[in-house]
Amino acid sequence: QVHLVESGGGLVQPGGSLSLSCAASGWIVSIRAMGWYRQTPGKQREFVTTINPDGSADYADSVKGRFTISRDNTKNTVYLQMSSLKPEDTAVYYCSAVVAATSEYSLNTYWGQGTQVTVSS
């Protein structure tokens, strides 16, 4: 049983900043990659950023230079610092984690419940 819980969403003005966090809990043996995806009505869920245990990260072109992902392996938590926010960043943001859990021989991807980020004046 693995659960991911996100927090930090809200309403922000264009050009503003916002930080999200996501903590994984449960019978976790180890966590590989963690990341963030986002989704708006009528569109497929899209990749935002991912981070490996060693700290290396990948970003979607649309957020490079504005978003920063980080993680705390001790706390099983991933963070997303968003700056210079634009109206087009408005979406439900979902965190994910590739997890090796108790009683699982293979790695499985788990998802958080999502948190709303709205960028508007």
Side-chain angles (χ1 to χ4, degrees):
Q1 301 287 355
V2 177
H3 300 278
L4 275 64
V5 179
E6 299 134 324
S7 62
L11 175 64
V12 193
Q13 291 188 334
S17 300
L18 194 66
S19 296
L20 307 180
S21 65
C22 173
S25 62
W27 298 100
I28 298 171
V29 176
S30 64
I31 300 179
R32 300 298 192 268
M34 303 184 79
W36 293 92
Y37 294 72
R38 64 189 183 187
Q39 187 171 28
T40 57
K43 299 180 65 177
Q44 292 188 7
R45 187 172 301 181
E46 65 176 341
F47 164 81
V48 177
T49 178
T50 54
I51 185 170
N52 294 307
D54 65 359
S56 60
D58 292 316
Y59 296 90
D61 289 340
S62 60
V63 305
K64 285 182 178 178
R66 300 189 299 117
F67 290 12
T68 300
I69 188 172
S70 61
R71 63 188 287 170
D72 186 329
N73 293 331
T74 300
K75 298 180 179 179
N76 290 334
T77 300
V78 63
Y79 307 91
L80 182 64
Q81 174 63 48
M82 303 181 290
S83 301
S84 301
L85 285 163
K86 306 173 181 180
E88 49 263 46
D89 293 319
T90 296
V92 176
Y93 284 70
Y94 297 88
C95 67
S96 67
V98 179
V99 179
T102 301
S103 300
E104 296 179 354
Y105 282 98
S106 62
L107 299 172
N108 294 301
T109 301
Y110 292 85
W111 295 90
Q113 81 285 358
T115 185
Q116 177 71 47
V117 173
T118 301
V119 184
S120 176
S121 59

